[in-house]
Amino acid sequence: MMRAYLQTVLPRKREPRVTGGTARGPWAPAFAGERVYWHDGPLDAPMPGDRPVVWSGTMDSAATVRSLGATHAIAVDLADAARSPDAGGRLLRRHLARALVARMADVPVAEVRLSRTSLGAPVVVTPAGWYISQSGRGGDWLIGASRQPIAVDREPLDDAPPLRDMLAPAEIQALDRLAPADQPLDWLRRWTIKEAHAKLIGSPLRIRPEAIETRLDTAVEATATFEGVSHCWTWTTATAIETVAIWA
């Protein structure tokens, strides 16, 4: 019932999704000097290496096929994929993450090696000094790469919203001030922010969702607080909400 309700009240289109190899462009929030570059084209498009990049796409897109052209499976990637029920999707996202880091660091993709922490978070082994985060479901994926810790989360708009007891008291109060038709999207946006912030900490499974308090500053900017403060940016497409978080 909740899923059907969300599909009824969520707007099916917000900001237009830019495709065809054109980057969405950077956002410069008023409260931070950091700029985040959102991209959903092939990696042969201009790509900054001096600020966080968030790259999204679908497995069957021409941009994905072009970006995978230079990658190849290595033993550690195959072993990592074999441990997942979604082995094919996990392997493709790993290839794409390697391609993105190679593009940003200006190194051959063969020199990019990834691993995982004991809790399963992806890490860049080489080249040194790079960080990645991934999110994906079905044929859609979202990957973040940066010279500083970064975390991303993507949630389809047709997902049922989290329960109210997963929100902090101040978040519930903010939600209740909205019109009923606006609450599901606000709710889901806060959920993606919580997920991204928990990933940024590095141990999301131990953190209760209601312990992370979110504050929505603008239509795209937000902060999350728990064991530190993160700056978050969200992008609402026709089908999903995508969020990136970096430490304040």
Short mmCIF file of all heavy atoms in Angstrom, two decimals, residues 169-192:
data_model
loop_
_atom_site.label_atom_id
_atom_site.label_comp_id
_atom_site.label_asym_id
_atom_site.label_seq_id
_atom_site.Cartn_x
_atom_site.Cartn_y
_atom_site.Cartn_z
N PRO A 169 13.23 13.50 15.73
CA PRO A 169 12.05 14.32 16.06
C PRO A 169 11.97 15.61 15.25
O PRO A 169 10.88 15.99 14.78
CB PRO A 169 12.25 14.60 17.56
CG PRO A 169 13.01 13.41 18.06
CD PRO A 169 13.94 13.04 16.93
N ALA A 170 13.09 16.31 15.08
CA ALA A 170 13.06 17.56 14.31
C ALA A 170 12.68 17.31 12.85
O ALA A 170 12.03 18.14 12.21
CB ALA A 170 14.41 18.26 14.40
N GLU A 171 13.08 16.16 12.32
CA GLU A 171 12.74 15.82 10.93
C GLU A 171 11.24 15.55 10.79
O GLU A 171 10.62 15.95 9.81
CB GLU A 171 13.53 14.59 10.49
CG GLU A 171 15.03 14.82 10.43
CD GLU A 171 15.80 13.54 10.16
OE1 GLU A 171 15.43 12.49 10.71
OE2 GLU A 171 16.77 13.60 9.40
N ILE A 172 10.67 14.89 11.77
CA ILE A 172 9.23 14.62 11.75
C ILE A 172 8.45 15.93 11.81
O ILE A 172 7.47 16.12 11.10
CB ILE A 172 8.84 13.69 12.91
CG1 ILE A 172 9.49 12.31 12.73
CG2 ILE A 172 7.32 13.55 13.00
CD1 ILE A 172 9.25 11.36 13.86
N GLN A 173 8.91 16.84 12.65
CA GLN A 173 8.24 18.14 12.75
C GLN A 173 8.30 18.88 11.42
O GLN A 173 7.31 19.49 10.97
CB GLN A 173 8.88 18.97 13.86
CG GLN A 173 8.65 18.42 15.26
CD GLN A 173 9.41 19.19 16.32
OE1 GLN A 173 10.00 20.24 16.04
NE2 GLN A 173 9.43 18.67 17.53
N ALA A 174 9.47 18.85 10.77
CA ALA A 174 9.61 19.52 9.47
C ALA A 174 8.72 18.86 8.43
O ALA A 174 8.10 19.54 7.60
CB ALA A 174 11.07 19.47 9.03
N LEU A 175 8.64 17.55 8.48
CA LEU A 175 7.80 16.82 7.54
C LEU A 175 6.33 17.18 7.72
O LEU A 175 5.60 17.40 6.74
CB LEU A 175 8.00 15.32 7.74
CG LEU A 175 7.49 14.38 6.65
CD1 LEU A 175 8.35 14.48 5.40
CD2 LEU A 175 7.46 12.95 7.17
N ASP A 176 5.90 17.28 8.96
CA ASP A 176 4.49 17.57 9.25
C ASP A 176 4.08 18.99 8.85
O ASP A 176 2.89 19.27 8.73
CB ASP A 176 4.21 17.35 10.74
CG ASP A 176 4.20 15.88 11.11
OD1 ASP A 176 4.04 15.04 10.20
OD2 ASP A 176 4.36 15.56 12.31
N ARG A 177 5.06 19.87 8.65
CA ARG A 177 4.73 21.23 8.21
C ARG A 177 4.47 21.30 6.72
O ARG A 177 4.00 22.33 6.21
CB ARG A 177 5.86 22.19 8.60
CG ARG A 177 5.95 22.48 10.10
CD ARG A 177 6.84 23.67 10.38
NE ARG A 177 8.23 23.39 10.10
CZ ARG A 177 9.12 22.92 11.00
NH1 ARG A 177 8.72 22.69 12.23
NH2 ARG A 177 10.37 22.71 10.66
N LEU A 178 4.77 20.24 6.00
CA LEU A 178 4.58 20.21 4.56
C LEU A 178 3.17 19.75 4.21
O LEU A 178 2.52 19.05 4.99
CB LEU A 178 5.59 19.27 3.91
CG LEU A 178 7.06 19.61 4.06
CD1 LEU A 178 7.91 18.52 3.43
CD2 LEU A 178 7.39 20.96 3.44
N ALA A 179 2.75 20.11 3.03
CA ALA A 179 1.48 19.58 2.52
C ALA A 179 1.62 18.07 2.33
O ALA A 179 2.71 17.58 2.00
CB ALA A 179 1.14 20.25 1.19
N PRO A 180 0.57 17.31 2.52
CA PRO A 180 0.65 15.86 2.38
C PRO A 180 1.25 15.40 1.06
O PRO A 180 2.02 14.43 1.02
CB PRO A 180 -0.81 15.41 2.52
CG PRO A 180 -1.43 16.45 3.38
CD PRO A 180 -0.78 17.75 2.97
N ALA A 181 0.96 16.12 -0.02
CA ALA A 181 1.47 15.72 -1.33
C ALA A 181 2.98 15.89 -1.45
O ALA A 181 3.62 15.25 -2.28
CB ALA A 181 0.78 16.52 -2.43
N ASP A 182 3.57 16.78 -0.61
CA ASP A 182 5.01 17.03 -0.66
C ASP A 182 5.81 16.16 0.28
O ASP A 182 7.04 16.12 0.20
CB ASP A 182 5.29 18.50 -0.33
CG ASP A 182 4.71 19.45 -1.36
OD1 ASP A 182 4.63 19.05 -2.54
OD2 ASP A 182 4.34 20.58 -0.98
N GLN A 183 5.14 15.47 1.20
CA GLN A 183 5.86 14.72 2.23
C GLN A 183 6.64 13.51 1.72
O GLN A 183 7.78 13.30 2.16
CB GLN A 183 4.87 14.30 3.33
CG GLN A 183 4.35 15.47 4.14
CD GLN A 183 3.40 15.03 5.25
OE1 GLN A 183 3.25 13.84 5.52
NE2 GLN A 183 2.77 16.01 5.89
N PRO A 184 6.10 12.69 0.81
CA PRO A 184 6.86 11.52 0.39
C PRO A 184 8.21 11.84 -0.24
O PRO A 184 9.22 11.17 0.04
CB PRO A 184 5.93 10.83 -0.61
CG PRO A 184 4.57 11.26 -0.18
CD PRO A 184 4.74 12.68 0.26
N LEU A 185 8.28 12.86 -1.10
CA LEU A 185 9.54 13.20 -1.74
C LEU A 185 10.53 13.74 -0.72
O LEU A 185 11.73 13.41 -0.75
CB LEU A 185 9.31 14.22 -2.85
CG LEU A 185 10.54 14.53 -3.73
CD1 LEU A 185 10.97 13.29 -4.49
CD2 LEU A 185 10.22 15.66 -4.70
N ASP A 186 10.07 14.58 0.20
CA ASP A 186 10.92 15.10 1.26
C ASP A 186 11.45 13.96 2.11
O ASP A 186 12.64 13.92 2.47
CB ASP A 186 10.11 16.08 2.12
CG ASP A 186 10.93 16.70 3.23
OD1 ASP A 186 11.01 16.10 4.34
OD2 ASP A 186 11.50 17.79 3.02
N TRP A 187 10.59 13.03 2.43
CA TRP A 187 10.94 11.86 3.23
C TRP A 187 12.05 11.05 2.55
O TRP A 187 13.06 10.69 3.16
CB TRP A 187 9.69 11.02 3.37
CG TRP A 187 9.64 10.08 4.53
CD1 TRP A 187 10.65 9.69 5.35
CD2 TRP A 187 8.46 9.44 5.01
NE1 TRP A 187 10.17 8.84 6.30
CE2 TRP A 187 8.84 8.67 6.11
CE3 TRP A 187 7.13 9.44 4.60
CZ2 TRP A 187 7.93 7.88 6.83
CZ3 TRP A 187 6.23 8.67 5.32
CH2 TRP A 187 6.63 7.89 6.41
N LEU A 188 11.85 10.77 1.27
CA LEU A 188 12.82 9.95 0.55
C LEU A 188 14.14 10.69 0.38
O LEU A 188 15.21 10.08 0.42
CB LEU A 188 12.24 9.55 -0.82
CG LEU A 188 13.00 8.46 -1.57
CD1 LEU A 188 13.07 7.17 -0.76
CD2 LEU A 188 12.34 8.20 -2.92
N ARG A 189 14.08 11.99 0.19
CA ARG A 189 15.32 12.77 0.08
C ARG A 189 16.12 12.67 1.38
O ARG A 189 17.33 12.47 1.36
CB ARG A 189 15.00 14.23 -0.25
CG ARG A 189 16.26 15.08 -0.42
CD ARG A 189 15.93 16.54 -0.61
NE ARG A 189 17.14 17.34 -0.60
CZ ARG A 189 17.18 18.66 -0.41
NH1 ARG A 189 16.04 19.33 -0.24
NH2 ARG A 189 18.32 19.31 -0.39
N ARG A 190 15.45 12.82 2.50
CA ARG A 190 16.15 12.69 3.78
C ARG A 190 16.74 11.28 3.94
O ARG A 190 17.83 11.12 4.50
CB ARG A 190 15.20 13.00 4.93
CG ARG A 190 14.79 14.47 5.03
CD ARG A 190 13.87 14.71 6.20
NE ARG A 190 13.31 16.06 6.21
CZ ARG A 190 13.91 17.11 6.76
NH1 ARG A 190 15.09 16.97 7.34
NH2 ARG A 190 13.33 18.29 6.74
N TRP A 191 16.03 10.28 3.44
CA TRP A 191 16.54 8.91 3.56
C TRP A 191 17.84 8.74 2.78
O TRP A 191 18.80 8.12 3.26
CB TRP A 191 15.49 7.91 3.08
CG TRP A 191 15.96 6.49 3.18
CD1 TRP A 191 16.30 5.67 2.16
CD2 TRP A 191 16.15 5.74 4.39
NE1 TRP A 191 16.69 4.45 2.64
CE2 TRP A 191 16.60 4.47 4.01
CE3 TRP A 191 15.97 6.03 5.74
CZ2 TRP A 191 16.89 3.48 4.95
CZ3 TRP A 191 16.25 5.04 6.67
CH2 TRP A 191 16.70 3.79 6.27
N THR A 192 17.90 9.28 1.56
CA THR A 192 19.14 9.16 0.79
C THR A 192 20.29 9.90 1.48
O THR A 192 21.44 9.46 1.43
CB THR A 192 18.97 9.69 -0.65
OG1 THR A 192 18.77 11.11 -0.63
CG2 THR A 192 17.82 9.03 -1.36
#
